[in-house]
Amino acid sequence: MQLGMIGLGRMGGNIVRRLMQHGHTGVVYDRNPQAVQALAADGAAGVDGLAAMVAKLDKPRAIWVMLPAGAITEGTIRALADLMDKGDVIIDGGNTFWKDDVRRSRELAAKGIDYVDVGTSGGVWGLERGYCMMIGGKKETVDRLDPIFKALAPGLGDVPRTPGREGRDPRAEEGYIHAGPVGAGHFVKMVHNGIEYGLMQAYAEGFDILKSANLEERPEDERFTFDMADISEVWRRGSVITSWLLDLTASALAEDAGLEDYSGYVEDSGEGRWTIQAAIEQAVPAEVLSAALYTRFRSRHEHTYAEKILSAMRKGFGGHVEPKKAEQ
């Protein structure tokens, strides 16, 4: 299939590369001409604007927007809506607020343009590992785009099969699902990221307790000086808390157990806030996720070793670089 991609940052460019590896073709645009040139060198067709992209694509067109949520994405989708035709589809693969998806879909439907929201997880590793995708949209539209999603997904790989899944949608085992109508994909991704906050916070607090076990205030025979890199490594092998997040933590600690390159200032990209908002609207208790979000807020005023652990994980899976102390 042919896909247009707008936004060639940490994930957009590699999404196109993975698609091309599976025989699909990409038409790409980014405000940074060098990013376009890099993809063109890899075999994509580079264009210099939205109108040029629409003209380059065959009907019915499919254009994937992979930009930061907010005004940039909103403006891009509005501009595309004025250029595209009935039967075309706009895909938003960024971390968009799901209620914005519902509104956009309604606006685009008036022009006969379809809209699909794709919660996309995989970060900077997606080219190699594939992308876990949670998709919202009309069934016929999602089914038409299935070759794209199947190529991007991780596939069965070596993950053990779950007993009792006979007769269920096989796409979940491949690493992608049609979660429901428009908005459902980003709703599921929103909660995914909220859970991510909680998991990361649990690791961070645990390593902070370990690091503090040698405080001078403790009796000398009750002090321990732990090797963080070794502890994270042994936990990766056979323990019940193994995970990719722990893998990334172990890698960061092996390079620098003191995490001196990290300030401990931890950003949040919005999904944690939206998860808590959804919990409030639905009257669902979310104590752990709320605490994890507020810890990120606090980290911007005072920093601990725990926050450095959080920063290391964010850099590991998403390439997020937190501000240094001098930049705050």
Side-chain angles (χ1 to χ4, degrees), residues 198-217:
L199 292 173
M200 293 172 68
Q201 187 63 30
Y203 284 123
E205 291 177 8
F207 280 103
D208 206 10
I209 293 169
L210 290 169
K211 185 176 184 298
S212 299
N214 65 346
L215 292 176
E216 292 183 1
E217 292 81 358

Side-chain angles (χ1 to χ4, degrees), residues 84-255:
M84 297 174 74
D85 298 319
K86 183 177 180 179
D88 292 345
V89 58
I90 295 174
I91 305 163
D92 181 2
N95 285 323
T96 289
F97 185 41
W98 65 274
K99 290 186 179 181
D100 289 334
D101 293 316
V102 175
R103 171 183 51 78
R104 289 177 191 158
S105 175
R106 189 165 51 242
E107 294 169 352
L108 291 169
K111 299 185 177 184
I113 300 172
D114 288 326
Y115 182 89
V116 172
D117 57 291
V118 182
T120 311
S121 181
V124 296
W125 297 88
L127 176 61
E128 174 187 346
R129 293 167 57 103
Y131 299 90
C132 173
M133 291 166 291
M134 298 133 270
I135 305 161
K138 293 191 299 187
K139 181 181 185 304
E140 56 269 30
T141 307
V142 174
D143 287 349
R144 175 164 71 85
L145 296 169
D146 188 74
I148 294 291
F149 300 135
K150 188 174 181 63
L152 291 175
L156 285 173
D158 57 0
V159 178
R161 305 290 291 271
T162 301
R165 281 200 54 86
E166 296 79 7
R168 303 184 69 87
D169 188 339
R171 291 175 294 185
E173 289 187 304
E174 298 280 342
Y176 67 111
I177 59 168
H178 182 198
V182 168
H186 277 144
F187 191 100
V188 175
K189 178 59 162 51
M190 171 188 75
V191 176
H192 164 283
N193 282 30
I195 293 171
E196 177 186 296
Y197 282 31
L199 292 173
M200 293 172 68
Q201 187 63 30
Y203 284 123
E205 291 177 8
F207 280 103
D208 206 10
I209 293 169
L210 290 169
K211 185 176 184 298
S212 299
N214 65 346
L215 292 176
E216 292 183 1
E217 292 81 358
R218 297 166 63 91
E220 187 172 352
D221 61 354
E222 294 181 7
R223 295 183 206 158
F224 303 104
T225 301
F226 292 115
D227 188 313
M228 301 297 181
D230 282 357
I231 289 173
S232 60
E233 186 63 30
V234 77
W235 282 351
R236 293 180 61 222
R237 303 180 183 278
S239 98
V240 298
I241 62 168
T242 55
S243 73
W244 186 31
L245 289 172
L246 183 60
D247 294 345
L248 297 170
T249 303
S251 178
L253 290 171
E255 293 179 6

Side-chain angles (χ1 to χ4, degrees), residues 259-286:
L259 302 179
E260 298 301 327
D261 287 339
Y262 299 91
S263 68
Y265 181 108
V266 186
E267 287 283 8
D268 72 286
S269 52
E271 298 87 354
R273 302 183 190 208
W274 300 335
T275 303
I276 302 309
Q277 289 174 7
I280 293 169
E281 290 176 2
Q282 297 161 202
V284 175

